Amino acid sequence: MKENFLHYVWRYQKFDTNELKTSDGASVKTIKTGFAHSNSGPDFQQAKILIDEMEWNGAVEIHIKSSDWNRHNHQTDPNYENVVLHVVWKNDEPIQHPDGSKIPTIELKDRVDYNLIEKYQNLQSSQDEIPCGGHWSEISGLHKSEMLEKALIERLYQKSEKAKNHFENGTQNWDQASYFMLLSAMGFKVNQHPFERLAEILPYNLIKKYSSSIFQLEALLFGVSGFLTQDFEDEYPNQLKKEWEFLSHKHKATLGSEMHLHEWRFLRLRPANFPTIRIAELAQILHVFPSLFDAFVIDMDLKSIQKRLKVKVSDYWLNHYQFDKESKYRNKQMGQNSIKTLVINCIPALLALYANGVGEEKYMDKAIGLLNDLKAEKNYITQKFTDLGETLNTAFDSQAMIQLHNEYCQPKKCLDCSIGLSILKA
C-alpha cells in the first residue's frame, strides 16, 4: 500500500462510508474532503468533517499506519495542530495532539474495494513503459485530450522555468531570456547543458554589440566556449584566437571564466551536429536577428523565422567540422528537421513565459497555435504511442506525448493522470 493511493481514496471517497466510525466509536461523515496540499503541513486543508454530529473545520492527514504520525514528528510540529481527522490504512497506535487530546482516526483497510486496489497495483507493477498501454484502446478520447492538453501546458512552463530564473535574477531583459532559450535549444539533447552555460557566461548585451560582425561573434562564442586555448595550424582559428584575446581583455569585467573543452560532447554525434558547427550556425543566427525577442514573440511569424534560421556557416566551416581538421567541402546549412526541433524547443516556451509574465493569454494561444502548425516529431517516445494506435499529427501531439511519458508514465504517477484515473474509475 502506498500513501498516494490513500490520498486518491480519500479525495474521491473511494471507500465504504456506511456507518463510518473513528477508532473510539464516534460516527464520521465527510462534508468536504479539503484541498490537496503538497507543501509542508497536513495533506488536505480546509476540510469539513462531522464527528458525532459536531462539525469540525480543519485539516486531514493521511498515513499508512497511525504510528507514522509520531515517526514523522508531527506531534511536535505546530503546523499539525489543526488536524481534525487522521485517515490511515491501519490503526496501530493511538495518536494525540500536544495537549494530550486524542486525534479522531479512521481505518480504511477493510473499506476499500479489492478490485480498485488490484487495478492500481496492476498499473504500478506494469513492466511496460506506458503502464496503461493495455487499456489504451478502451480510454475515451475526452480523457486523452484532457490529459494531453494538461501535459503540453506543463511542458511549456517547465521548459521556460530556467529562462524565467535567468530573467528574474539577471537584467530582467526579455532579449536575454530569448537568447538563453535559443542557446538551450541549440544544444539539442546532447549539448544542451554546455550551451546553457555559454548563455550564462556570455551575456546577450555583449553579443548585441558585435552582432554586425560574424568574425567577432565567432571569436566571442568560440572563445568563451573554450575552443581557442591552443595554437593552431590554420590561419582562421589563429585570427579568431587573436580577436578573442583582445575582446576578452576589453570586456573582462563583463565576461565570466571561459568554459573547458571537456564540457562539450562530440562522441556518437554526426559531424553536422558537432558543437563546433552548432556554434558557427549560432553566430549566423545571432547575426540575422536584430532582436530575438521581437522575432520570436512580438512579431512571431513561423515562415519568416524558419526561412531566416536556414543559415549557412562562414567559409572556413565549409571544409571543416573542427579546427585544424580539413574535411570534404560541403555547403553546410541547418536542415529543416533541425530548424523544426529548434523552433519547438525554443519559441513556444518563450511565448508561454511571456504570457505568464505580462498576463496576456494571447501569447499562450500563439504558443499552442505554433505547435499545431508544425508536424509531429518522430522519436522512440512518440513511436511508443503510435504502436498503441495513437495518431500524432502535430508538434502539439508529440510534445504532449513526450511530457506524458517522461513525467507521468515513467514515474508511474497514474493517480495524477486523468487517463490513469479513468481506468481506476471504470
Side-chain angles (χ1 to χ4, degrees), residues 152 155-163 177-190 192 196 296 302 309 337-351 367 370-371 374 377 379 395 398-400 402-403 406:
L152 188 278
R155 185 165 179 82
L156 291 178
Y157 283 128
Q158 193 178 82
K159 279 187 172 185
S160 67
E161 196 61 30
K162 289 180 183 178
S178 307
Y179 169 67
F180 183 87
M181 288 300 297
L182 172 64
L183 267 66
S184 179
M186 279 297 298
F188 293 81
K189 189 173 182 180
V190 175
Q192 179 183 5
E196 288 177 355
F296 293 168
L302 178 57
L309 284 175
N337 200 49
S338 292
I339 290 172
K340 181 183 76 173
T341 303
L342 185 62
V343 169
I344 288 172
N345 289 319
C346 173
I347 299 177
L350 186 60
L351 286 162
L370 176 60
L371 289 171
L374 291 164
E377 302 140 282
N379 53 47
S398 56
Q399 285 286 292
I402 291 168
Q403 183 75 1
N406 292 344

Side-chain angles (χ1 to χ4, degrees), residues 16-52:
D16 183 4
T17 59
N18 289 322
E19 298 183 6
L20 184 62
K21 296 183 183 297
T22 67
S23 56
D24 288 339
S27 64
V28 177
K29 290 183 180 179
T30 304
I31 302 172
K32 188 178 178 182
T33 59
F35 301 102
H37 183 66
S38 57
N39 298 322
S40 59
D43 296 312
F44 288 85
Q45 301 280 3
Q46 299 179 39
K48 288 185 180 182
I49 310 295
L50 207 61
I51 301 177
D52 270 350

Side-chain angles (χ1 to χ4, degrees), residues 58-75:
V60 173
E61 177 67 0
I62 313 286
H63 283 127
I64 301 299
K65 297 179 180 179
S66 55
S67 56
D68 291 339
W69 178 278
N70 292 328
R71 192 165 61 85
H72 296 164
N73 296 315
H74 294 338
Q75 72 276 18

Side-chain angles (χ1 to χ4, degrees), residues 142-377:
L142 180 63
H143 285 123
K144 290 177 186 176
S145 60
E146 177 185 301
M147 188 59 208
L148 290 175
E149 184 171 344
K150 174 187 174 183
L152 188 278
I153 300 300
E154 279 182 5
R155 185 165 179 82
L156 291 178
Y157 283 128
Q158 193 178 82
K159 279 187 172 185
S160 67
E161 196 61 30
K162 289 180 183 178
K164 179 183 177 182
N165 295 335
H166 203 68
F167 172 78
E168 291 177 347
N169 298 332
T171 58
Q172 296 205 347
N173 183 296
W174 285 108
D175 261 325
Q176 178 71 27
S178 307
Y179 169 67
F180 183 87
M181 288 300 297
L182 172 64
L183 267 66
S184 179
M186 279 297 298
F188 293 81
K189 189 173 182 180
V190 175
N191 281 298
Q192 179 183 5
H193 294 303
F195 265 102
E196 288 177 355
R197 276 259 295 144
L198 174 58
E200 290 169 356
I201 297 170
L202 180 56
Y204 183 72
N205 61 358
L206 190 56
I207 285 287
K208 190 77 172 171
K209 286 183 179 180
Y210 297 97
S211 61
S212 61
S213 169
I214 289 295
F215 175 69
Q216 289 179 307
L217 282 175
E218 287 199 8
L220 281 169
L221 291 166
F222 282 111
V224 172
S225 300
F227 285 100
L228 301 178
T229 56
Q230 65 191 69
D231 292 326
F232 300 98
E233 294 178 6
D234 291 349
E235 181 182 358
Y236 184 67
N238 278 320
Q239 291 175 339
L240 287 177
K241 181 181 179 181
K242 184 177 180 181
E243 183 66 17
W244 163 240
E245 289 171 349
F246 167 74
L247 292 172
S248 61
H249 178 74
K250 181 179 179 180
H251 299 290
K252 60 182 177 181
T254 302
L255 292 165
S257 58
E258 63 188 69
M259 297 172 67
H260 301 286
L261 283 180
H262 67 78
E263 296 180 60
W264 298 97
R265 294 179 62 183
F266 287 81
L267 191 63
R268 289 190 288 275
L269 284 177
R270 290 174 56 248
N273 295 327
F274 279 179
T276 42
I277 299 302
R278 292 302 186 200
I279 291 172
E281 290 169 340
L282 175 62
Q284 298 288 338
I285 291 169
L286 294 170
H287 175 64
V288 301
F289 286 100
S291 168
L292 293 173
F293 178 66
D294 285 351
F296 293 168
V297 176
I298 302 301
D299 304 317
M300 197 278 293
D301 178 84
L302 178 57
K303 288 184 178 179
S304 173
I305 290 171
Q306 287 177 312
K307 184 178 179 179
R308 293 168 73 186
L309 284 175
K310 203 169 185 177
V311 293
K312 296 180 180 178
V313 294
S314 55
D315 291 347
Y316 179 79
W317 297 105
L318 295 176
N319 60 347
H320 289 82
Y321 288 101
Q322 298 185 69
F323 289 121
D324 277 352
K325 294 182 179 180
E326 190 170 353
S327 61
K328 186 178 179 180
Y329 181 93
R330 186 176 177 184
N331 188 19
K332 301 180 183 74
Q333 190 176 48
M334 188 175 285
Q336 283 300 116
N337 200 49
S338 292
I339 290 172
K340 181 183 76 173
T341 303
L342 185 62
V343 169
I344 288 172
N345 289 319
C346 173
I347 299 177
L350 186 60
L351 286 162
L353 176 63
Y354 189 65
N356 192 48
V358 300
E360 290 198 34
E361 195 63 29
K362 68 178 182 180
Y363 290 101
M364 178 59 80
D365 294 338
K366 285 176 74 172
I368 294 172
L370 176 60
L371 289 171
N372 277 318
D373 286 340
L374 291 164
K375 289 184 179 180
E377 302 140 282

Side-chain angles (χ1 to χ4, degrees), residues 4-5 7-9 11-12 14 116 119-120 123-124 132 135 139-140 143-144 146-147 150 404 408 412-426:
N4 66 341
F5 178 68
H7 283 226
Y8 162 77
V9 167
R11 181 178 180 183
Y12 295 101
K14 292 291 185 178
L116 178 63
K119 285 179 182 179
Y120 171 71
L123 287 173
Q124 293 299 292
C132 63
H135 300 272
I139 301 164
S140 76
H143 285 123
K144 290 177 186 176
E146 177 185 301
M147 188 59 208
K150 174 187 174 183
L404 183 64
Y408 292 89
K412 295 187 176 177
K413 292 170 65 176
C414 305
L415 296 175
D416 296 320
C417 172
S418 58
I419 295 172
L421 290 177
S422 72
I423 293 169
L424 294 178
K425 290 176 183 178

